[in-house]
Amino acid sequence: MSMENNTINILANAVTCKVDTEARNVKLEVNRCLTYFVDGYEQSTAFKMHTWDGTASFFNFAKCTFPAGFMYYVGACLKRKGYDVQFYKKPLPKPLGKLRPKIGNYEYDPRYEYQYTVTEKLLKHGQIICRAATGAGKTNCAMIAFATINRPTLFLTTRSILMYQMKENVENNLGIDVAVIGDGNLGFENSDGSKSLKKFTVATVQTIHSYIKEPNPTDSAYEFTAQRKRQEFMKSILEKFEFVILEEAHESSASGWFELLKYCKNAYYRLALTGTPFMKESEEMNMRLMASSGPVAITVTEKQLIDCGILATPYFKFVHLTKKPATMSMKTSWQPAYRIGIVENEERNQAIIYEAKRAVAHGLTVMILFKQIAHGKTLKEMLDDARIPNELIVGADDQAERKRAINKLKDGKIKVLLGSTILDVGVDVPAVGMVIIASAGKAEVALRQRIGRGLRAKKNQANICFVVDFDDPFNKYLKNHAQQRKAIIQHTEGFKEHIVEDFDYSLLNVKK
């Protein structure tokens, strides 16, 4: 770098960027941009002994390198310091498909123009995050991008249900065979024993990571050698992908994703799909997300989708509880407080049944979301006693059992579906009229996903959905979590305008 012209060159490939400089002040600035607090640093001996400040950096000071996802972020940091930054990267591979491809039988709807904009941004920048609220159609965004780029593509997720759902969508809408790496399958192995890479592969991060992990030095010589061979084999496969799609990308902050993507050396195209990026409490995990997939290039909000009718208008009611459980105080620790104040709280559970019964009486279907199986079973017994047709599904149920229960709700054979966290993502649920957040908790990602279960556009009724939550006032942990959930609603455009004391069921008679 010439200090006279104050120009800094950043060289990039699909995985790594290099700052072409020997200037220490520039290196220090890049290092500052990419420094973060390591998870759990407060508990480390080094931190307690004041020999370490608890931070680490994604910048390799000696090599002047950092993950390619930070390219524009680092460039912006340097520009703010007055440097002229120039990027040099290999041109993106030319798309082999048609621009603005038709997906299955979907007719063009201008309300969904943003789905094509995602691909336009991807073709321009190569590595992007699409921040789209639940219900925006992230699967369609992925299929449009793939059909346009039409190069060997890897779809990554942490959940097998999402993996199979994407496989089904691509095969049905694009008419191509999809390979599977996960759940006991190795998609590039053919029936005749030969190996080939299909154009589209769905995979779980866990399966691929089990192949690329380092062999354990304590293993036998045979096991050590076998793992090394599996590792090298999988690395050679990952190098063949030119496009990687990260589903529910907020989870890509985990180290398994981050390490895996280092081996996708030719994946110049990377598309991360999530409604909730950078909402982790962990600074390290948020940094890993950007390292893996670049910056947010497009945002589709709940309000945008509600205003154009893609999502239903939600109305939020926070039920005020008045009867403190006898064995609980404000200071009761978290686990017993959850059991007493949530799972076994008779007033709270009766309120859940009351709201569900009232919704059913007005012709609505209801989804009740809980956390602990014992809670779900209690609520099911209460619904049975109230003679409200219902089904209970939990994580232990296989995919066919889940689909059977969901279809019964869709067909009107049941009125209430009780579900554990298995319903948070990846389940194609029908439009329901009411969602009851029986699970409590404070996680913003989970809350938005659970609300999103009820926001699918309604066809045979007014395009609205009722959401029930609770104030849980009798314990400091439960109360704090309830306040955090309400604050999320109060600060979300499209949500905050519709917080009510009680539901106005006459709204069901107003068709949009």
Side-chain angles (χ1 to χ4, degrees):
M1 178 197 77
S2 170
M3 291 303 293
E4 293 182 358
N5 60 26
N6 212 34
T7 298
I8 298 173
N9 296 329
I10 296 180
L11 317 176
N13 59 31
V15 176
T16 304
C17 285
K18 180 179 176 65
V19 185
D20 189 17
T21 185
E22 293 300 325
R24 181 172 176 79
N25 60 323
V26 175
K27 292 183 180 182
L28 287 172
E29 179 59 25
V30 175
N31 188 66
R32 184 194 66 78
C33 290
L34 300 180
T35 294
Y36 60 92
F37 282 100
V38 174
D39 288 346
Y41 72 92
E42 306 97 328
Q43 308 304 320
S44 71
T45 301
F47 180 78
K48 292 177 179 178
M49 296 290 292
H50 305 288
T51 59
W52 176 49
D53 66 358
T55 67
S57 176
F58 282 96
F59 183 57
N60 185 316
F61 209 91
K63 296 180 179 179
C64 285
T65 59
F66 57 87
F70 291 122
M71 183 176 73
Y72 293 113
Y73 173 66
V74 169
C77 290
L78 293 174
K79 287 178 181 178
R80 284 196 294 270
K81 292 295 182 179
Y83 294 100
D84 175 28
V85 181
Q86 300 293 324
F87 300 110
Y88 293 89
K89 58 180 181 178
K90 182 179 177 181
L92 292 168
K94 182 180 179 181
L96 299 178
K98 295 180 180 179
L99 293 176
R100 302 182 71 86
K102 182 175 173 57
I103 304 299
N105 295 320
Y106 292 105
E107 295 296 329
Y108 175 75
D109 185 334
R111 297 180 303 166
Y112 293 89
E113 177 63 23
Y114 61 83
Q115 294 181 349
Y116 295 95
T117 304
V118 172
T119 295
E120 292 169 5
K121 297 281 188 181
L122 180 63
L123 294 177
K124 180 179 180 180
H125 300 293
Q127 298 187 13
I128 67 169
I129 296 171
C130 169
R131 175 168 57 196
T134 300
K138 291 188 280 290
T139 296
N140 270 13
C141 292
M143 289 193 293
I144 290 169
F146 164 70
T148 302
I149 294 169
N150 199 28
R151 289 176 175 273
T153 297
L154 176 64
F155 173 88
L156 283 171
T157 179
T158 58
R159 295 175 171 87
S160 61
I161 189 169
L162 286 174
M163 177 179 70
Y164 286 118
Q165 198 171 85
M166 191 65 185
K167 170 181 166 65
E168 182 178 351
N169 274 306
V170 171
E171 289 181 339
N172 290 342
N173 291 292
L174 299 179
I176 64 172
D177 289 335
V178 174
V180 175
I181 301 176
D183 201 24
N185 300 297
L186 206 56
F188 33 80
E189 289 186 347
N190 301 319
S191 57
D192 62 0
S194 63
K195 295 180 176 63
S196 62
L197 191 69
K198 289 185 170 66
K199 186 63 72 74
F200 197 97
T201 300
V202 295
T204 59
V205 174
Q206 298 92 318
T207 295
I208 294 182
H209 194 258
S210 71
Y211 274 77
I212 63 171
K213 68 179 182 181
E214 288 295 323
N216 192 329
T218 62
D219 286 343
S220 67
Y222 174 81
E223 291 172 336
F224 187 94
T225 302
Q227 178 58 27
R228 182 68 75 191
K229 287 181 178 179
R230 286 193 293 267
Q231 182 188 58
E232 293 305 316
F233 176 65
M234 184 58 73
K235 287 181 183 180
S236 71
I237 293 297
L238 293 175
E239 289 181 5
K240 292 181 170 63
F241 292 109
E242 299 179 49
F243 181 19
V244 176
I245 302 171
L246 310 178
E247 171 73 337
E248 295 298 327
H250 50 272
E251 297 175 354
S252 70
S253 49
S255 60
W257 297 68
F258 181 69
E259 294 300 322
L260 183 162
L261 289 166
K262 289 180 181 179
Y263 302 114
C264 298
K265 296 180 179 179
N266 292 300
Y268 282 86
Y269 290 109
R270 299 186 184 194
L271 173 60
L273 299 166
T274 175
T276 50
F278 311 128
M279 287 186 179
K280 298 280 188 180
E281 293 182 359
S282 161
E283 183 182 13
E284 179 178 358
M285 287 190 172
N286 288 333
M287 293 286 280
R288 287 182 183 275
L289 172 56
M290 189 185 296
S292 301
S293 48
V296 174
I298 180 171
T299 297
V300 184
T301 66
E302 289 92 349
K303 179 172 173 53
Q304 177 183 340
L305 298 173
I306 291 167
D307 286 349
C308 69
I310 291 174
L311 295 184
T313 299
Y315 290 84
F316 296 89
K317 174 181 178 179
F318 292 87
V319 176
H320 175 58
L321 301 177
T322 61
K323 299 177 182 178
K324 184 178 78 69
T327 58
M328 187 173 69
S329 72
M330 291 298 289
K331 296 182 179 180
T332 302
S333 60
W334 164 244
Q335 288 188 347
Y338 191 88
R339 175 179 56 81
I340 300 166
I342 305 297
V343 178
E344 299 173 357
N345 188 330
E346 185 176 353
E347 181 193 14
R348 196 178 193 274
N349 289 339
Q350 287 288 357
I352 290 170
I353 303 306
Y354 168 78
E355 295 293 346
K357 189 173 183 178
R358 191 161 62 134
V360 169
H362 283 87
L364 300 182
T365 52
V366 181
M367 186 174 292
I368 301 175
L369 301 172
F370 57 86
K371 181 179 179 181
Q372 295 186 4
I373 294 176
H375 194 196
K377 289 181 176 179
T378 295
L379 294 172
K380 177 171 176 51
E381 289 177 2
M382 295 174 72
L383 287 168
D384 289 342
D385 290 342
R387 297 185 177 181
I388 299 174
N390 69 89
E391 285 278 351
L392 170 72
I393 57 175
V394 296
D397 294 328
D398 62 25
Q399 193 169 349
E401 184 67 15
R402 296 172 200 157
K403 184 174 286 190
R404 183 191 65 79
I406 289 168
N407 285 338
K408 288 178 71 173
L409 185 70
K410 188 182 300 184
D411 296 338
K413 295 178 180 178
I414 60 172
K415 297 300 181 182
V416 179
L417 181 64
L418 300 112
S420 63
T421 53
I422 190 66
L423 287 177
D424 286 357
V425 295
V427 178
D428 186 18
V429 298
V432 294
M434 175 178 282
V435 173
I436 302 178
I437 311 294
S439 52
K442 64 175 181 177
E444 182 168 359
V445 173
L447 177 64
R448 291 185 182 278
Q449 288 169 335
R450 289 165 191 168
I451 293 168
R453 297 298 87 186
L455 297 188
R456 174 174 290 190
K458 311 303 186 284
K459 294 180 179 180
N460 300 315
Q461 66 176 63
N463 197 21
I464 64 175
C465 177
F466 297 140
V467 182
V468 179
D469 204 340
F470 300 85
D471 62 357
D472 299 324
F474 304 118
N475 174 267
K476 63 179 180 179
Y477 300 107
L478 301 182
K479 181 178 180 179
N480 176 261
H481 291 182
Q483 290 173 338
Q484 289 186 55
R485 295 196 304 275
K486 189 170 186 178
I488 291 167
I489 306 305
Q490 292 172 326
H491 290 88
T492 299
E493 298 289 335
F495 288 3
K496 66 181 184 181
E497 301 87 347
H498 306 292
I499 299 174
V500 298
E501 288 295 318
D502 198 9
F503 299 127
D504 180 2
Y505 279 92
S506 69
L507 293 171
L508 296 173
N509 301 318
V510 181
K511 295 290 182 70
K512 284 193 176 182

